[in-house]
Amino acid sequence: MTQHDDQPAPMTFTAAPALSGGITVPGDKSISHRSLMLSALAVGASRVEGLLEGEDVLATAAAMRAMGAEVRRDAEGVWHIHGVGVGGLLQPRTALDMGNSGTSTRLLMGLLASHDLTATFVGDASLSKRPMARVTEPLSQMGASFSASPGDRLPLTMKGACPAVPLDYRLPVASAQVKSAILLAGLNTPGITRIVEPIATRDHSERMLKGFGADLAVEVEGDGTRIITLAGEAELRPQQIVVPGDPSSAAFPVVAALLVPGSKVTIANVGLNATRAGLIDLLREMGGAIEVVNAREVGGEPVGDLVVTASALTGVTPDPVRAPSMIDEYPVAFVAAALAEGRSVFRGLEELRVKESDRIATMAQGLRAIGVQVEELEDGIIIEGSGGAPLAGGGPIATRLDHRIAMSFAVAGLVSKNGVTIDDMRPVATSFPTFMAMLQSLGAQA
Ligand code: S3P
């Protein structure tokens, strides 16, 4: 699904006066995908409020509709889904177009692995480069079969197994997508599906499956290893879901407010689940003034308002074990490091090489182009900070169809002498369609 215009949309972001004001960010992308998928499997009518209406989530909505669920938008962010019951999805008549969305692709492969149907997945140039073996391998053990393009990539056709065989699986890579794919396959699989997760990743699937009434248990061992068991064949009950603001989207105004001198910004209703909040912790360690007020719980997830005040930052060397809790935030963390005092060393980030782009290479190249001294490592990056001095600027930055690269360099432009030009802002619509309006409402210029 490419809803983009045909032509790239380059844009230049220039030094901003102090940012100020109060904003919200769109709904959490991970929770939005799961809301649609689980509601489509519940028997009856669910309602979702605060759904992210970005291209990635719309790809999931279209897929659920193509497989028989009734998915209807009511008002902004308010959606109604009439589910077909676990095991009740129908064979899609055409290929499922996943656009740029790795989460839609991998989670839906799991969901369909225990359905008696055949489906073909296609995606854009970025998604078609991303490895799928990490899900096809465990799902094959459950009985599904796959015919993929070379390198286990899209386009890919799969045939689900019904009944599937329950799996006992130790995750070889810290990935919430892989964990969730197996859990979703386990829903329509007789017996107990068991996953051993040595390093915790985002736990929205576990929380939401429990909320929908699945028989799921999580046990945490002394060393932090999580053991998740799910009893199939599950029956899911329809839910009323309120989706919190996406911490991965809040990351951009948070870093912008810290870096642009004199700024003070409040971002309301941000999800603060510990498995997602690593960037806030890191920025605080760097000296960032980020206060959480009005901490509360919304829809089973911790939520708060962030009050962010411009701060002088110092370089850091974060422990790689925290990587999953801020996996999508590294690009903008690198921008923060570029303005910090001293050197930052980021390691243990091999997973960044298989995101919407190779985020280590794309960031290293872009940061160099705007005057930052960086050294690219196989598993990370070393960044020499400017100590708060504005970056030179330049571009055009090659964003390689990666929304988070585009937004990270937009933030860098706000603290540059000559502005930063982004080659194409269209991919931002995948996760943060209101990004430009949000920046402008804080006083930034583009
Ligand atoms: C996601 C998991 C993460 C993250 C992605 C969303 C999810 O991917 O990068 O944006 O919703 O489960 P990995 O599982 O590949 O780390």
Side-chain angles (χ1 to χ4, degrees):
M1 184 185 65
T2 301
Q3 298 173 351
H4 300 144
D5 298 333
D6 287 344
Q7 296 302 317
M11 205 168 278
T12 300
F13 293 80
T14 55
L19 304 175
S20 69
I23 53 167
T24 55
V25 292
D28 188 277
K29 185 150 75 71
S30 293
I31 296 175
S32 294
H33 284 300
R34 289 160 173 80
S35 297
L36 292 171
M37 291 180 195
L38 296 181
S39 297
L41 292 182
V43 183
S46 292
R47 178 181 188 274
V48 186
E49 196 182 313
L51 189 89
L52 165 64
E53 294 177 344
E55 289 172 2
D56 280 12
V57 175
L58 297 180
T60 293
M64 300 327 292
R65 225 180 253 134
M67 293 185 287
E70 196 185 305
V71 182
R72 184 169 59 80
R73 181 181 194 262
D74 187 358
E76 194 184 325
V78 181
W79 288 61
H80 296 274
I81 301 103
H82 204 100
V84 294
V86 168
L89 293 175
L90 303 174
Q91 165 123 6
R93 275 197 292 250
T94 55
L96 299 173
D97 191 340
M98 302 283 96
N100 190 253
S101 181
T103 309
S104 309
T105 309
R106 295 190 178 124
L107 268 56
L108 283 174
M109 280 187 200
L111 200 51
L112 300 192
S114 53
H115 276 73
D116 184 19
L117 50 77
T118 299
T120 296
F121 292 85
V122 298
D124 73 1
S126 152
L127 183 57
S128 303
K129 285 189 197 137
R130 299 182 67 184
M132 295 298 153
R134 55 183 57 202
V135 282
T136 60
E137 193 261 320
L139 297 175
S140 299
Q141 289 183 38
M142 296 180 82
S145 51
F146 297 86
S147 153
S149 300
D152 288 293
R153 297 188 159 85
L154 301 193
L156 170 157
T157 297
M158 69 176 288
K159 190 170 169 0
C162 198
V165 185
L167 184 64
D168 186 341
Y169 195 69
R170 186 180 173 87
L171 290 174
V173 53
S175 165
Q177 290 179 354
V178 176
K179 169 176 66 177
S180 303
I182 298 167
L183 287 174
L184 291 171
L187 282 175
N188 197 38
T189 301
I192 302 290
T193 294
R194 183 171 177 273
I195 300 172
V196 179
E197 186 180 49
I199 299 174
T201 64
R202 66 190 67 195
D203 63 355
H204 307 300
S205 295
E206 295 92 306
R207 285 171 186 251
M208 293 181 73
L209 280 166
K210 272 192 209 160
F212 271 86
D215 182 0
L216 179 142
V218 181
E219 204 186 296
V220 186
E221 295 190 331
D223 64 355
T225 299
R226 296 171 81 247
I227 298 172
I228 306 154
T229 47
L230 171 71
E233 299 148 282
E235 263 182 49
L236 302 187
R237 291 188 296 269
Q239 299 296 307
Q240 309 274 317
I241 298 169
V242 181
V243 182
D246 196 328
S248 299
S249 295
F252 302 103
V254 166
V255 172
L258 289 176
L259 296 184
V260 177
S263 297
K264 182 158 188 166
V265 170
T266 301
I267 307 151
N269 191 37
V270 180
L272 293 175
N273 180 316
T275 62
R276 300 285 301 283
L279 178 74
I280 305 291
D281 297 337
L282 184 76
L283 292 171
R284 281 178 166 159
E285 285 162 33
M286 295 173 79
I290 305 171
E291 203 189 334
V292 177
V293 296
N294 198 11
R296 57 204 186 272
E297 192 159 293
V298 174
E301 291 277 349
V303 161
D305 303 340
L306 302 180
V307 182
V308 188
T309 311
S311 308
L313 303 180
T314 48
V316 275
T317 298
D319 186 338
V321 299
R322 69 206 294 175
S325 71
M326 53 173 290
I327 194 68
D328 291 336
E329 286 67 77
Y330 279 102
V332 77
F334 296 166
V335 173
L339 273 295
E341 175 76 48
R343 170 180 295 186
S344 294
V345 182
F346 295 93
R347 304 215 64 157
L349 303 180
E350 308 68 4
E351 275 296 295
L352 292 192
R353 294 212 180 263
V354 292
K355 294 295 180 187
E356 286 82 328
S357 70
D358 174 342
R359 286 183 172 158
I360 298 178
T362 315
M363 285 305 297
Q365 200 184 345
L367 286 171
R368 251 183 230 125
I370 59 171
V372 184
Q373 203 188 320
V374 300
E375 187 187 335
E376 181 179 340
L377 309 170
E378 200 42 55
D379 68 339
I381 191 168
I382 301 175
I383 299 173
E384 304 292 343
S386 73
L391 307 175
I397 302 296
T399 51
R400 307 193 191 290
L401 290 178
D402 188 332
H403 54 138
R404 300 199 203 281
I405 299 291
M407 292 186 278
S408 298
F409 281 102
V411 171
L414 306 183
V415 281
S416 68
K417 283 199 233 60
N418 303 315
V420 171
T421 301
I422 317 292
D423 67 348
D424 189 5
M425 285 300 283
R426 291 173 303 169
V428 166
T430 59
S431 68
F432 201 158
T434 53
F435 179 74
M436 291 302 299
M438 178 279 299
L439 273 190
Q440 281 155 4
S441 82
L442 294 177
Q445 291 147 9

